[in-house]
PDB file of all heavy atoms in Angstrom:
ATOM      1  N   ARG J  17      40.411  59.032 122.706  1.00  0.00           N
ATOM      2  CA  ARG J  17      40.845  60.293 122.079  1.00  0.00           C
ATOM      3  C   ARG J  17      40.101  61.436 122.729  1.00  0.00           C
ATOM      4  O   ARG J  17      40.727  62.520 122.924  1.00  0.00           O
ATOM      5  CB  ARG J  17      40.467  60.172 120.610  1.00  0.00           C
ATOM      6  CG  ARG J  17      40.877  61.551 119.934  1.00  0.00           C
ATOM      7  CD  ARG J  17      40.609  61.601 118.428  1.00  0.00           C
ATOM      8  NE  ARG J  17      41.114  62.865 117.848  1.00  0.00           N
ATOM      9  CZ  ARG J  17      40.283  63.920 117.581  1.00  0.00           C
ATOM     10  NH1 ARG J  17      39.012  63.788 117.711  1.00  0.00           N
ATOM     11  NH2 ARG J  17      40.811  64.987 117.154  1.00  0.00           N
ATOM     12  N   SER J  18      38.883  61.352 122.967  1.00  0.00           N
ATOM     13  CA  SER J  18      38.070  62.401 123.606  1.00  0.00           C
ATOM     14  C   SER J  18      38.602  62.753 125.029  1.00  0.00           C
ATOM     15  O   SER J  18      38.532  63.877 125.407  1.00  0.00           O
ATOM     16  CB  SER J  18      36.567  62.175 123.613  1.00  0.00           C
ATOM     17  OG  SER J  18      36.248  61.133 124.599  1.00  0.00           O
ATOM     18  N   ASP J  19      39.206  61.798 125.705  1.00  0.00           N
ATOM     19  CA  ASP J  19      39.845  62.029 126.984  1.00  0.00           C
ATOM     20  C   ASP J  19      41.266  62.442 126.787  1.00  0.00           C
ATOM     21  O   ASP J  19      42.021  62.465 127.806  1.00  0.00           O
ATOM     22  CB  ASP J  19      39.761  60.697 127.812  1.00  0.00           C
ATOM     23  CG  ASP J  19      38.198  60.374 128.247  1.00  0.00           C
ATOM     24  OD1 ASP J  19      37.434  61.344 128.151  1.00  0.00           O
ATOM     25  OD2 ASP J  19      38.027  59.268 128.595  1.00  0.00           O
ATOM     26  N   ARG J  20      41.769  62.564 125.584  1.00  0.00           N
ATOM     27  CA  ARG J  20      43.248  63.008 125.321  1.00  0.00           C
ATOM     28  C   ARG J  20      44.165  61.892 125.689  1.00  0.00           C
ATOM     29  O   ARG J  20      45.298  62.189 125.976  1.00  0.00           O
ATOM     30  CB  ARG J  20      43.524  64.352 125.888  1.00  0.00           C
ATOM     31  CG  ARG J  20      42.609  65.481 125.542  1.00  0.00           C
ATOM     32  CD  ARG J  20      42.574  65.857 124.075  1.00  0.00           C
ATOM     33  NE  ARG J  20      43.925  66.156 123.601  1.00  0.00           N
ATOM     34  CZ  ARG J  20      44.287  66.178 122.352  1.00  0.00           C
ATOM     35  NH1 ARG J  20      43.476  65.835 121.395  1.00  0.00           N
ATOM     36  NH2 ARG J  20      45.514  66.580 121.978  1.00  0.00           N
ATOM     37  N   ARG J  21      43.762  60.627 125.741  1.00  0.00           N
ATOM     38  CA  ARG J  21      44.681  59.570 125.963  1.00  0.00           C
ATOM     39  C   ARG J  21      45.141  59.032 124.669  1.00  0.00           C
ATOM     40  O   ARG J  21      44.596  57.939 124.141  1.00  0.00           O
ATOM     41  CB  ARG J  21      43.949  58.442 126.833  1.00  0.00           C
ATOM     42  CG  ARG J  21      43.471  58.969 128.155  1.00  0.00           C
ATOM     43  CD  ARG J  21      42.904  57.796 129.071  1.00  0.00           C
ATOM     44  NE  ARG J  21      42.208  56.857 128.327  1.00  0.00           N
ATOM     45  CZ  ARG J  21      40.788  56.760 128.316  1.00  0.00           C
ATOM     46  NH1 ARG J  21      40.145  57.563 128.953  1.00  0.00           N
ATOM     47  NH2 ARG J  21      40.173  55.805 127.554  1.00  0.00           N
ATOM     48  N   LEU J  22      45.989  59.722 123.945  1.00  0.00           N
ATOM     49  CA  LEU J  22      46.215  59.483 122.583  1.00  0.00           C
ATOM     50  C   LEU J  22      47.007  58.210 122.394  1.00  0.00           C
ATOM     51  O   LEU J  22      46.686  57.477 121.332  1.00  0.00           O
ATOM     52  CB  LEU J  22      47.042  60.577 121.947  1.00  0.00           C
ATOM     53  CG  LEU J  22      46.350  62.068 121.990  1.00  0.00           C
ATOM     54  CD1 LEU J  22      47.271  63.104 121.316  1.00  0.00           C
ATOM     55  CD2 LEU J  22      44.990  61.940 121.376  1.00  0.00           C
ATOM     56  N   ALA J  23      47.961  57.845 123.190  1.00  0.00           N
ATOM     57  CA  ALA J  23      48.587  56.594 122.952  1.00  0.00           C
ATOM     58  C   ALA J  23      47.690  55.337 123.076  1.00  0.00           C
ATOM     59  O   ALA J  23      47.759  54.430 122.326  1.00  0.00           O
ATOM     60  CB  ALA J  23      49.807  56.474 123.955  1.00  0.00           C
ATOM     61  N   GLU J  24      46.753  55.430 124.081  1.00  0.00           N
ATOM     62  CA  GLU J  24      45.768  54.386 124.288  1.00  0.00           C
ATOM     63  C   GLU J  24      44.778  54.336 123.046  1.00  0.00           C
ATOM     64  O   GLU J  24      44.526  53.266 122.573  1.00  0.00           O
ATOM     65  CB  GLU J  24      45.020  54.664 125.510  1.00  0.00           C
ATOM     66  CG  GLU J  24      44.056  53.573 125.986  1.00  0.00           C
ATOM     67  CD  GLU J  24      43.343  53.862 127.224  1.00  0.00           C
ATOM     68  OE1 GLU J  24      43.865  54.678 128.129  1.00  0.00           O
ATOM     69  OE2 GLU J  24      42.250  53.289 127.464  1.00  0.00           O
ATOM     70  N   ALA J  25      44.402  55.449 122.651  1.00  0.00           N
ATOM     71  CA  ALA J  25      43.548  55.551 121.419  1.00  0.00           C
ATOM     72  C   ALA J  25      44.242  54.939 120.161  1.00  0.00           C
ATOM     73  O   ALA J  25      43.592  54.162 119.459  1.00  0.00           O
ATOM     74  CB  ALA J  25      43.034  56.967 121.184  1.00  0.00           C
ATOM     75  N   LYS J  26      45.495  55.338 119.993  1.00  0.00           N
ATOM     76  CA  LYS J  26      46.287  54.800 118.928  1.00  0.00           C
ATOM     77  C   LYS J  26      46.340  53.227 118.942  1.00  0.00           C
ATOM     78  O   LYS J  26      46.138  52.527 117.980  1.00  0.00           O
ATOM     79  CB  LYS J  26      47.665  55.361 118.884  1.00  0.00           C
ATOM     80  CG  LYS J  26      48.513  54.888 117.681  1.00  0.00           C
ATOM     81  CD  LYS J  26      49.852  55.505 117.704  1.00  0.00           C
ATOM     82  CE  LYS J  26      50.709  55.083 116.615  1.00  0.00           C
ATOM     83  NZ  LYS J  26      51.985  55.725 116.516  1.00  0.00           N
ATOM     84  N   ASN J  27      46.596  52.720 120.131  1.00  0.00           N
ATOM     85  CA  ASN J  27      46.540  51.273 120.360  1.00  0.00           C
ATOM     86  C   ASN J  27      45.231  50.627 119.998  1.00  0.00           C
ATOM     87  O   ASN J  27      45.149  49.641 119.342  1.00  0.00           O
ATOM     88  CB  ASN J  27      46.919  50.978 121.774  1.00  0.00           C
ATOM     89  CG  ASN J  27      47.259  49.515 122.072  1.00  0.00           C
ATOM     90  OD1 ASN J  27      47.790  48.825 121.193  1.00  0.00           O
ATOM     91  ND2 ASN J  27      46.869  49.023 123.197  1.00  0.00           N
ATOM     92  N   TYR J  28      44.101  51.193 120.376  1.00  0.00           N
ATOM     93  CA  TYR J  28      42.779  50.680 120.045  1.00  0.00           C
ATOM     94  C   TYR J  28      42.626  50.692 118.548  1.00  0.00           C
ATOM     95  O   TYR J  28      42.116  49.700 117.949  1.00  0.00           O
ATOM     96  CB  TYR J  28      41.713  51.423 120.820  1.00  0.00           C
ATOM     97  CG  TYR J  28      41.457  51.150 122.176  1.00  0.00           C
ATOM     98  CD1 TYR J  28      41.504  52.124 123.183  1.00  0.00           C
ATOM     99  CD2 TYR J  28      41.239  49.780 122.698  1.00  0.00           C
ATOM    100  CE1 TYR J  28      41.338  51.780 124.578  1.00  0.00           C
ATOM    101  CE2 TYR J  28      41.070  49.434 123.974  1.00  0.00           C
ATOM    102  CZ  TYR J  28      41.143  50.480 124.892  1.00  0.00           C
ATOM    103  OH  TYR J  28      40.916  50.178 126.233  1.00  0.00           O
ATOM    104  N   PHE J  29      42.842  51.794 117.903  1.00  0.00           N
ATOM    105  CA  PHE J  29      42.619  51.917 116.439  1.00  0.00           C
ATOM    106  C   PHE J  29      43.505  50.982 115.734  1.00  0.00           C
ATOM    107  O   PHE J  29      43.151  50.385 114.793  1.00  0.00           O
ATOM    108  CB  PHE J  29      42.795  53.377 116.056  1.00  0.00           C
ATOM    109  CG  PHE J  29      41.655  54.221 116.414  1.00  0.00           C
ATOM    110  CD1 PHE J  29      41.855  55.414 117.123  1.00  0.00           C
ATOM    111  CD2 PHE J  29      40.343  53.991 116.094  1.00  0.00           C
ATOM    112  CE1 PHE J  29      40.899  56.228 117.530  1.00  0.00           C
ATOM    113  CE2 PHE J  29      39.270  54.782 116.424  1.00  0.00           C
ATOM    114  CZ  PHE J  29      39.551  56.001 117.145  1.00  0.00           C
ATOM    115  N   SER J  30      44.852  50.843 116.143  1.00  0.00           N
ATOM    116  CA  SER J  30      45.769  49.917 115.470  1.00  0.00           C
ATOM    117  C   SER J  30      45.223  48.545 115.552  1.00  0.00           C
ATOM    118  O   SER J  30      45.328  47.748 114.552  1.00  0.00           O
ATOM    119  CB  SER J  30      47.105  50.057 116.160  1.00  0.00           C
ATOM    120  OG  SER J  30      47.669  51.311 115.923  1.00  0.00           O
ATOM    121  N   HIS J  31      44.738  48.059 116.736  1.00  0.00           N
ATOM    122  CA  HIS J  31      44.291  46.765 116.888  1.00  0.00           C
ATOM    123  C   HIS J  31      42.929  46.605 116.060  1.00  0.00           C
ATOM    124  O   HIS J  31      42.770  45.525 115.476  1.00  0.00           O
ATOM    125  CB  HIS J  31      43.954  46.379 118.298  1.00  0.00           C
ATOM    126  CG  HIS J  31      45.122  45.978 119.105  1.00  0.00           C
ATOM    127  ND1 HIS J  31      45.940  46.842 119.710  1.00  0.00           N
ATOM    128  CD2 HIS J  31      45.647  44.768 119.274  1.00  0.00           C
ATOM    129  CE1 HIS J  31      46.890  46.189 120.285  1.00  0.00           C
ATOM    130  NE2 HIS J  31      46.797  44.908 120.026  1.00  0.00           N
ATOM    131  N   ALA J  32      42.140  47.575 115.929  1.00  0.00           N
ATOM    132  CA  ALA J  32      40.934  47.485 115.131  1.00  0.00           C
ATOM    133  C   ALA J  32      41.414  47.351 113.646  1.00  0.00           C
ATOM    134  O   ALA J  32      40.675  46.534 112.915  1.00  0.00           O
ATOM    135  CB  ALA J  32      40.114  48.786 115.288  1.00  0.00           C
ATOM    136  N   VAL J  33      42.358  48.084 113.203  1.00  0.00           N
ATOM    137  CA  VAL J  33      42.798  48.015 111.821  1.00  0.00           C
ATOM    138  C   VAL J  33      43.225  46.511 111.551  1.00  0.00           C
ATOM    139  O   VAL J  33      42.854  45.948 110.585  1.00  0.00           O
ATOM    140  CB  VAL J  33      43.934  49.024 111.514  1.00  0.00           C
ATOM    141  CG1 VAL J  33      44.635  48.586 110.249  1.00  0.00           C
ATOM    142  CG2 VAL J  33      43.434  50.373 111.392  1.00  0.00           C
ATOM    143  N   GLU J  34      44.062  45.956 112.444  1.00  0.00           N
ATOM    144  CA  GLU J  34      44.541  44.612 112.305  1.00  0.00           C
ATOM    145  C   GLU J  34      43.373  43.700 112.228  1.00  0.00           C
ATOM    146  O   GLU J  34      43.340  42.812 111.377  1.00  0.00           O
ATOM    147  CB  GLU J  34      45.434  44.344 113.484  1.00  0.00           C
ATOM    148  CG  GLU J  34      46.028  42.953 113.470  1.00  0.00           C
ATOM    149  CD  GLU J  34      46.893  42.723 114.721  1.00  0.00           C
ATOM    150  OE1 GLU J  34      47.722  43.636 115.064  1.00  0.00           O
ATOM    151  OE2 GLU J  34      46.801  41.621 115.292  1.00  0.00           O
ATOM    152  N   ARG J  35      42.456  43.782 113.177  1.00  0.00           N
ATOM    153  CA  ARG J  35      41.304  42.788 113.228  1.00  0.00           C
ATOM    154  C   ARG J  35      40.386  42.992 111.969  1.00  0.00           C
ATOM    155  O   ARG J  35      39.937  41.979 111.447  1.00  0.00           O
ATOM    156  CB  ARG J  35      40.529  43.065 114.492  1.00  0.00           C
ATOM    157  CG  ARG J  35      41.152  42.855 115.842  1.00  0.00           C
ATOM    158  CD  ARG J  35      41.173  41.417 116.177  1.00  0.00           C
ATOM    159  NE  ARG J  35      39.953  40.702 116.260  1.00  0.00           N
ATOM    160  CZ  ARG J  35      39.043  40.850 117.224  1.00  0.00           C
ATOM    161  NH1 ARG J  35      39.197  41.657 118.200  1.00  0.00           N
ATOM    162  NH2 ARG J  35      37.863  40.233 117.140  1.00  0.00           N
ATOM    163  N   CYS J  36      40.165  44.139 111.489  1.00  0.00           N
ATOM    164  CA  CYS J  36      39.324  44.336 110.273  1.00  0.00           C
ATOM    165  C   CYS J  36      40.065  43.899 109.088  1.00  0.00           C
ATOM    166  O   CYS J  36      39.330  43.358 108.154  1.00  0.00           O
ATOM    167  CB  CYS J  36      39.038  45.865 110.131  1.00  0.00           C
ATOM    168  SG  CYS J  36      37.878  46.424 111.481  1.00  0.00           S
ATOM    169  N   ARG J  37      41.375  44.011 108.997  1.00  0.00           N
ATOM    170  CA  ARG J  37      41.971  43.473 107.784  1.00  0.00           C
ATOM    171  C   ARG J  37      41.873  41.938 107.764  1.00  0.00           C
ATOM    172  O   ARG J  37      41.657  41.353 106.698  1.00  0.00           O
ATOM    173  CB  ARG J  37      43.457  43.871 107.853  1.00  0.00           C
ATOM    174  CG  ARG J  37      43.722  45.236 107.390  1.00  0.00           C
ATOM    175  CD  ARG J  37      45.173  45.564 107.014  1.00  0.00           C
ATOM    176  NE  ARG J  37      45.229  46.850 106.376  1.00  0.00           N
ATOM    177  CZ  ARG J  37      45.935  47.886 106.807  1.00  0.00           C
ATOM    178  NH1 ARG J  37      46.716  47.720 107.887  1.00  0.00           N
ATOM    179  NH2 ARG J  37      45.933  49.030 106.150  1.00  0.00           N
ATOM    180  N   LYS J  38      41.956  41.262 108.945  1.00  0.00           N
ATOM    181  CA  LYS J  38      41.819  39.830 108.949  1.00  0.00           C
ATOM    182  C   LYS J  38      40.384  39.352 108.665  1.00  0.00           C
ATOM    183  O   LYS J  38      40.223  38.310 108.031  1.00  0.00           O
ATOM    184  CB  LYS J  38      42.231  39.362 110.432  1.00  0.00           C
ATOM    185  CG  LYS J  38      43.691  39.358 110.642  1.00  0.00           C
ATOM    186  CD  LYS J  38      44.008  38.888 111.969  1.00  0.00           C
ATOM    187  CE  LYS J  38      45.545  38.872 112.263  1.00  0.00           C
ATOM    188  NZ  LYS J  38      45.863  38.591 113.561  1.00  0.00           N
ATOM    189  N   SER J  39      39.383  40.092 109.119  1.00  0.00           N
ATOM    190  CA  SER J  39      38.021  39.787 108.821  1.00  0.00           C
ATOM    191  C   SER J  39      37.472  40.301 107.536  1.00  0.00           C
ATOM    192  O   SER J  39      36.346  40.000 107.111  1.00  0.00           O
ATOM    193  CB  SER J  39      37.137  40.210 110.009  1.00  0.00           C
ATOM    194  OG  SER J  39      37.017  41.650 110.007  1.00  0.00           O
ATOM    195  N   ASN J  40      38.256  41.136 106.874  1.00  0.00           N
ATOM    196  CA  ASN J  40      37.933  41.776 105.641  1.00  0.00           C
ATOM    197  C   ASN J  40      36.636  42.594 105.635  1.00  0.00           C
ATOM    198  O   ASN J  40      35.770  42.693 104.770  1.00  0.00           O
ATOM    199  CB  ASN J  40      37.746  40.630 104.526  1.00  0.00           C
ATOM    200  CG  ASN J  40      37.878  41.312 103.143  1.00  0.00           C
ATOM    201  OD1 ASN J  40      38.637  42.276 102.920  1.00  0.00           O
ATOM    202  ND2 ASN J  40      37.212  40.669 102.138  1.00  0.00           N
ATOM    203  N   ASP J  41      36.442  43.305 106.831  1.00  0.00           N
ATOM    204  CA  ASP J  41      35.365  44.180 107.090  1.00  0.00           C
ATOM    205  C   ASP J  41      35.777  45.600 106.621  1.00  0.00           C
ATOM    206  O   ASP J  41      36.459  46.338 107.393  1.00  0.00           O
ATOM    207  CB  ASP J  41      34.976  44.240 108.568  1.00  0.00           C
ATOM    208  CG  ASP J  41      33.693  44.981 108.806  1.00  0.00           C
ATOM    209  OD1 ASP J  41      33.389  45.987 108.004  1.00  0.00           O
ATOM    210  OD2 ASP J  41      32.899  44.757 109.653  1.00  0.00           O
ATOM    211  N   ARG J  42      35.529  45.921 105.420  1.00  0.00           N
ATOM    212  CA  ARG J  42      36.084  47.128 104.700  1.00  0.00           C
ATOM    213  C   ARG J  42      35.513  48.440 105.295  1.00  0.00           C
ATOM    214  O   ARG J  42      36.268  49.392 105.398  1.00  0.00           O
ATOM    215  CB  ARG J  42      35.901  47.046 103.189  1.00  0.00           C
ATOM    216  CG  ARG J  42      36.702  45.926 102.586  1.00  0.00           C
ATOM    217  CD  ARG J  42      36.736  45.896 101.135  1.00  0.00           C
ATOM    218  NE  ARG J  42      37.494  44.912 100.558  1.00  0.00           N
ATOM    219  CZ  ARG J  42      38.738  44.952 100.400  1.00  0.00           C
ATOM    220  NH1 ARG J  42      39.466  45.919 100.841  1.00  0.00           N
ATOM    221  NH2 ARG J  42      39.506  44.026  99.892  1.00  0.00           N
ATOM    222  N   ILE J  43      34.232  48.368 105.676  1.00  0.00           N
ATOM    223  CA  ILE J  43      33.642  49.648 106.236  1.00  0.00           C
ATOM    224  C   ILE J  43      34.428  49.990 107.623  1.00  0.00           C
ATOM    225  O   ILE J  43      34.745  51.049 107.873  1.00  0.00           O
ATOM    226  CB  ILE J  43      32.181  49.637 106.344  1.00  0.00           C
ATOM    227  CG1 ILE J  43      31.561  49.572 104.992  1.00  0.00           C
ATOM    228  CG2 ILE J  43      31.586  50.750 107.180  1.00  0.00           C
ATOM    229  CD1 ILE J  43      31.640  50.959 104.200  1.00  0.00           C
ATOM    230  N   LEU J  44      34.334  48.896 108.487  1.00  0.00           N
ATOM    231  CA  LEU J  44      35.018  49.184 109.771  1.00  0.00           C
ATOM    232  C   LEU J  44      36.458  49.411 109.620  1.00  0.00           C
ATOM    233  O   LEU J  44      37.104  50.219 110.416  1.00  0.00           O
ATOM    234  CB  LEU J  44      34.823  47.942 110.666  1.00  0.00           C
ATOM    235  CG  LEU J  44      33.482  47.899 111.378  1.00  0.00           C
ATOM    236  CD1 LEU J  44      33.365  46.669 112.266  1.00  0.00           C
ATOM    237  CD2 LEU J  44      33.158  49.137 112.227  1.00  0.00           C
ATOM    238  N   LEU J  45      37.048  48.863 108.611  1.00  0.00           N
ATOM    239  CA  LEU J  45      38.505  49.067 108.421  1.00  0.00           C
ATOM    240  C   LEU J  45      38.755  50.554 107.963  1.00  0.00           C
ATOM    241  O   LEU J  45      39.630  51.199 108.508  1.00  0.00           O
ATOM    242  CB  LEU J  45      39.061  48.125 107.325  1.00  0.00           C
ATOM    243  CG  LEU J  45      40.534  48.376 106.870  1.00  0.00           C
ATOM    244  CD1 LEU J  45      41.464  48.315 108.135  1.00  0.00           C
ATOM    245  CD2 LEU J  45      40.875  47.352 105.847  1.00  0.00           C
TER     246      LEU J  45
END
Side-chain angles (χ1 to χ4, degrees):
R17 179 179 184 258
S18 71
D19 291 341
R20 304 299 298 162
R21 299 184 323 255
L22 299 183
E24 186 178 337
K26 182 177 178 177
N27 190 36
Y28 282 126
F29 287 124
S30 295
H31 278 89
V33 166
E34 181 182 317
R35 297 279 306 284
C36 290
R37 282 196 170 124
K38 287 180 181 175
S39 68
N40 203 29
D41 187 330
R42 296 189 177 276
I43 291 290
L44 279 182
L45 177 56

